[in-house]
């Protein structure tokens, strides 16, 4: 799955999180599995 | 990651985007980043390196923000100083932080100069604006830098900001906040800029306050235009919201009240406002209610509760809880909930415990303890233990309770609890009741020493302009709504309650005034 600008990806095995600052066609993997797109924040923030 | 990346990453993606506005200065990401990196190079040339404390003493400006990011770029420690601090407090902060470089505004130069002979660690003083006698300014340093400095490799546990608490109870304590603390907060609160419109944030709280520091970081990281105010004043705030089409803002309760009383309020277009967050001190119910009724209905109000020690916000009362719609009973329930600090953020665990650390059931008052990955590293120097127990719970010294729906309520500081004849009384409960009286603008309740009861309940009340109420009437009002032992024994009227600059009520001053005033009562 292509990576998306500004999105965070998390490894469900080791919890490593990466932040994409330049998107591309390649996917991300960690611990021999695909990293998952991290969901946006569900709550309003104070900032 | 190094917090300097909160600017560096989005700036490398969107260098042309306008991101920082201060008075007549408008900077793109690219321009701001270039200035920060040149300033970092110049500070490095002055000998600033990883772990060296660099203090800032001035009101808000783009240069203040740039100085923070330049300091972070070097892995140095930024020490934002309260510009309203008295000389002994400034001496305490500069000495305990062992500051090497001070960047100072013209207004505070003489105060700093009087302290320098006692501060052998200070090697350089740089001016934010103008420098007398050939001294260096920030602009001199930026212009004279020989290169742009890239971010230094840091350890996430390195301190990036040493921030002093407001010191309403004792000398300010230096809170050590790390790159990890801020990274957790910023990445957990906003998404990185992605080129889509993210609005405009107006930051008017001082940048030495945790709410100011985190607002700058989240705003720049998210690609939201940051509009800075040197200092808050209601007329300018309203003008800026209209001119810059501000979407997000944070205010302390005192500021909200000043806005509601400002004659310009009805003349400005506030339709761009989406989110109005408030915090930093307890919000009087009468003020938030007026705000909800006065601001455009499209504004989402957010009550944020947090501490410097937890890198800002712990709980939030969101926009839905501020919409006073529904049946009479539903509105009544929402009004009660408006005195709540809301529910914990996803990265915060919160519970209420008794003195032995046992968790209390809903409704019972105890100390609020929290666990979050962004609790400070500790206090600087010998300011005492961090208050974190063996299981990682930070004891906030704020008393409170949780309702059946998981909403938390504050009941005052642990040290402010009143014990009358063996009964524990939370000042906040009585204050909330007094504020339900239509004549009451603000109320603060303290315990006064009493031979018979140990302590007796005393209320300081400020009435709304033009409103009238007697002490007896207010005591009776409380008696019919509270357990009898909680009703105030004494009510005294003030034209306004004494507060610190962020709007926190100074209970020590109220207690002293009431003690002196009621000496002949018994």
């Amino acid at each position: 799955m292509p990576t998306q600008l500004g999105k965070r990806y998390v490894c469900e095995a080791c919890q490593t999180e990466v932040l994409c600052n330049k998107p591309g066609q390649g996917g991300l993997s960690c611990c021999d599995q695909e990293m998952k797109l991290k969901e946006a924040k569900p709550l309003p923030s104070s900032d | 990651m190094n917090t300097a990346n909160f600017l560096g990453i989005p700036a490398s993606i969107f260098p042309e985007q306008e991101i920082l506005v201060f008075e007549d200065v408008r900077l793109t990401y690219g321009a701001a980043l270039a200035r920060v990196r040149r300033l970092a190079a110049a500070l490095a040339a002055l000998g600033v390196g990883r772990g060296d404390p660099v203090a800032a003493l001035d009101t808000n400006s783009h240069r203040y923000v740039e100085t923070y990011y330049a300091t972070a770029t070097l892995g140095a420690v930024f020490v934002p100083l309260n510009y309203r601090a008295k000389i002994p407090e400034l001496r305490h902060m500069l000495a305990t932080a062992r500051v090497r470089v001070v960047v100072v505004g013209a207004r505070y130069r003489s105060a700093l100069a009087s302290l320098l002979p006692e501060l052998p660690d200070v090697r350089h003083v740089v001016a934010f604006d103008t420098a007398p006698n050939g001294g260096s300014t920030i602009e001199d340093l930026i212009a004279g830098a020989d290169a742009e400095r890239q971010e230094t490799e840091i350890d996430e546990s390195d301190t990036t900001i040493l921030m002093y608490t407001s010191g309403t109870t004792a000398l300010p304590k230096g809170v050590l906040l790390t790159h990890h603390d801020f990274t957790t907060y910023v990445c957990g609160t906003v998404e990185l800029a992605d080129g889509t419109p993210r609005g405009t944030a107006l930051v008017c709280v001082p940048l030495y306050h945790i709410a100011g520091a985190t607002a700058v970081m989240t705003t720049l990281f998210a690609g939201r235009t940051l509009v800075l105010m040197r200092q808050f004043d209601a007329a300018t705030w309203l003008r800026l919201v209209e001119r810059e089409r501000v979407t997000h803002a944070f205010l302390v309760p005192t500021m909200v009240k000043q806005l509601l009383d400002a004659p310009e309020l009805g003349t400005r277009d506030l339709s761009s406002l989406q989110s109005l967050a408030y915090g930093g001190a307890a919000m009087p119910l009468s003020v938030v209610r007026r705000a909800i009724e006065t601001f455009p209905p499209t504004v989402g109000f957010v009550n944020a509760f947090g501490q410097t020690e937890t890198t800002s916000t712990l709980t939030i009362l969101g926009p839905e809880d501020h919409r006073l719609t529904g049946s009479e009973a539903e509105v009544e329930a929402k009004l009660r909930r408006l005195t709540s600090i809301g529910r914990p953020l996803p990265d915060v665990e919160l519970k209420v415990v008794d003195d032995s650390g046992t968790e209390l059931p809903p409704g019972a008052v105890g100390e609020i303890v929290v666990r979050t990955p962004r609790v400070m590293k500790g206090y600087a120097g010998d300011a005492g233990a961090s208050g974190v127990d063996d299981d990682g719970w930070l004891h906030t010294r704020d008393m409170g309770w949780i309702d059946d729906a998981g909403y938390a309520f504050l009941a005052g500081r642990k040290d402010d609890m009143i014990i009358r004849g063996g009964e524990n009384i939370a000042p906040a409960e009585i204050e909330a009741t007094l504020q339900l009286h239509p004549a009451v603008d603000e109320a603060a309740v303290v315990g006064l020493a009493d031979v018979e009861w140990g302590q007796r309940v005393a209320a300081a009340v400020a009435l709304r302009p033009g409103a009238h109420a007697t002490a007896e009437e207010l005591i009776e009002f409380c008696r019919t709504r509270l357990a009898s032992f909680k009703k105030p024994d004494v009510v005294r009227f003030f034209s306004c309650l004494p507060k610190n600059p962020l709007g926190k009520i100074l209970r020590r001053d109220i207690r002293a005034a009431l003690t002196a005033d009621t000496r002949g009562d018994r």
Side-chain angles (χ1 to χ4, degrees):
Chain A
M1 191 173 64
T3 50
Q4 300 171 52
L5 176 63
K7 299 298 180 194
R8 291 176 299 153
Y9 295 83
V10 65
C11 170
E12 291 181 331
C14 75
Q15 304 306 314
T16 290
E17 197 173 305
V18 302
L19 183 66
C20 174
N21 63 2
K22 193 170 168 67
Q25 289 305 308
L28 296 167
S29 67
C30 183
C31 298
D32 293 328
Q33 63 187 57
E34 188 184 11
M35 298 184 82
K36 300 289 185 213
L37 180 66
K38 191 153 182 178
E39 295 293 322
K41 290 34 166 221
L43 280 177
S45 74
S46 54
D47 294 318
Chain B
M1 64 183 173
N2 186 324
T3 56
N5 286 311
F6 296 149
L7 175 66
I9 291 174
S12 67
I13 309 171
F14 305 108
E16 302 301 323
Q17 182 183 336
E18 185 174 276
I19 196 66
L20 182 50
V21 176
F22 175 68
E23 298 179 350
D24 56 356
V25 175
R26 304 187 85 89
L27 295 171
T28 62
Y29 263 132
L33 183 63
R35 285 172 57 84
V36 163
R37 288 181 166 172
R38 292 182 69 83
L39 181 55
L43 288 173
L46 291 181
V48 176
R50 186 174 164 186
D52 290 333
V54 175
L57 178 59
D58 201 10
T59 47
N60 297 349
S61 67
H62 64 302
R63 293 184 189 125
Y64 198 111
V65 171
E66 290 163 348
T67 302
Y68 170 66
Y69 282 104
T71 304
T73 299
L74 297 172
V77 178
F78 190 62
V79 187
L81 297 171
N82 183 336
Y83 51 73
R84 295 182 177 108
K86 303 284 182 277
I87 292 285
E89 291 171 326
L90 273 181
R91 180 190 297 118
H92 167 76
M93 294 190 280
L94 286 159
T96 53
R98 304 185 69 90
V99 166
R100 297 278 294 270
V101 175
V102 186
V103 189
V104 65
R107 200 192 288 180
Y108 309 99
R109 192 184 299 132
S110 62
L112 176 67
S114 72
L115 290 172
L116 282 178
E118 304 169 56
L119 299 167
D121 293 321
V122 175
R123 308 281 166 78
H124 299 281
V125 174
V126 178
F128 270 115
D129 29 41
T130 55
N133 311 324
S136 291
T137 67
I138 290 286
E139 293 304 326
D140 293 336
L141 293 187
I142 291 173
D146 55 6
E148 291 186 12
R149 179 82 173 218
Q150 303 291 313
E151 290 88 2
T152 303
E153 277 300 314
I154 49 93
D155 190 297
E156 286 222 319
S157 64
D158 286 357
T159 299
T160 182
I161 296 187
L162 197 180
M163 182 170 277
Y164 283 86
T165 59
S166 52
T168 49
T169 51
L171 272 175
K173 285 181 178 179
V175 175
L176 302 169
L177 296 171
T178 66
H179 292 274
H180 170 268
D181 294 333
F182 285 107
T183 301
T184 305
Y185 181 78
V186 171
C187 290
T189 304
V190 292
E191 301 290 342
L192 173 64
D194 64 357
T196 59
R198 292 285 174 82
T200 298
L202 178 53
V203 173
C204 61
V205 289
L207 298 179
Y208 62 74
H209 188 270
I210 188 66
T214 52
V216 164
M217 291 187 200
T218 53
T219 300
L220 294 180
F221 186 68
R224 188 175 291 149
T225 308
L226 173 63
V227 180
L228 278 174
M229 280 180 80
R230 188 180 291 275
Q231 281 180 286
F232 175 82
D233 79 87
T236 308
W237 191 93
L238 292 163
R239 180 172 56 80
L240 282 172
V241 169
E242 179 179 273
R243 190 185 82 187
E244 301 291 338
R245 304 298 296 158
V246 168
T247 56
H248 292 66
F250 178 89
L251 298 162
V252 301
T254 308
M255 296 171 179
V256 177
K257 189 160 189 303
Q258 288 174 14
L259 286 170
L260 292 170
D261 293 338
E264 299 87 351
L265 180 64
T267 69
R268 294 295 184 185
D269 176 7
L270 306 180
S271 61
S272 57
L273 271 177
Q274 297 169 12
S275 173
L276 201 51
Y278 60 88
M283 171 64 102
L285 180 60
S286 63
V287 175
V288 68
R289 193 170 181 180
R290 265 178 78 202
I292 293 167
E293 290 162 359
T294 306
F295 279 87
T298 44
V299 174
F301 286 90
V302 175
N303 180 8
F305 166 74
Q307 296 193 320
T308 308
E309 287 87 339
T310 55
T311 323
S312 196
T313 310
L314 290 166
T315 64
I316 271 180
L317 187 75
E320 273 312 305
D321 292 311
H322 286 78
R323 292 195 211 292
L324 301 178
T325 53
S327 67
E328 205 171 306
E330 284 168 338
V331 170
E332 178 77 28
K334 283 198 169 180
L335 278 175
R336 284 203 176 279
R337 194 159 275 167
L338 272 186
T339 59
S340 161
I341 52 170
R343 290 182 282 199
L345 289 176
D347 65 348
V348 175
E349 296 170 87
L350 181 148
K351 62 183 184 181
V352 172
V353 300
D354 65 14
D355 283 341
S356 70
T358 306
E359 186 169 359
L360 293 170
V365 173
E367 185 177 8
I368 292 176
V369 299
V370 294
R371 194 158 62 178
T372 167
R374 48 190 164 81
V375 168
M376 65 172 176
K377 192 154 79 171
Y379 290 115
D382 54 1
S386 67
V388 178
D389 66 23
D390 292 343
D391 296 320
W393 293 93
L394 174 73
H395 291 244
T396 64
R397 299 198 69 73
D398 280 316
M399 302 296 282
W401 75 92
I402 300 173
D403 72 9
D404 291 329
Y407 286 79
F409 292 75
L410 291 180
R413 294 289 289 170
K414 193 167 185 178
D415 310 310
D416 293 332
M417 291 297 284
I418 301 166
I419 305 175
R420 181 185 187 278
E423 296 279 7
N424 284 307
I425 301 173
E429 187 182 2
I430 307 166
E431 290 160 6
T433 302
L434 283 165
Q435 284 177 8
L436 290 172
H437 191 284
V440 172
D441 192 22
E442 289 184 293
V445 170
V446 297
L448 299 184
D450 186 83
V451 175
E452 188 174 350
W453 295 100
Q455 280 186 305
R456 57 184 170 145
V457 180
V461 172
L463 295 176
R464 288 173 187 241
H468 296 281
T470 63
E472 293 71 27
E473 186 183 338
L474 294 180
I475 291 170
E476 180 62 15
F477 184 82
C478 290
R479 194 189 63 78
T480 57
R481 288 166 174 80
L482 293 168
S484 176
F485 66 87
K486 294 180 182 173
K487 73 177 192 311
D489 300 296
V490 174
V491 172
R492 286 289 187 274
F493 294 99
F494 288 63
S495 55
C496 62
L497 300 182
K499 299 191 191 80
N500 81 356
L502 283 173
K504 282 186 182 163
I505 290 175
L506 294 170
R507 286 171 195 278
R508 274 180 311 175
D509 292 6
I510 290 175
R511 198 173 290 119
L514 288 176
T515 300
D517 191 38
T518 59
R519 201 158 279 150
D521 281 10
R522 300 182 71 97

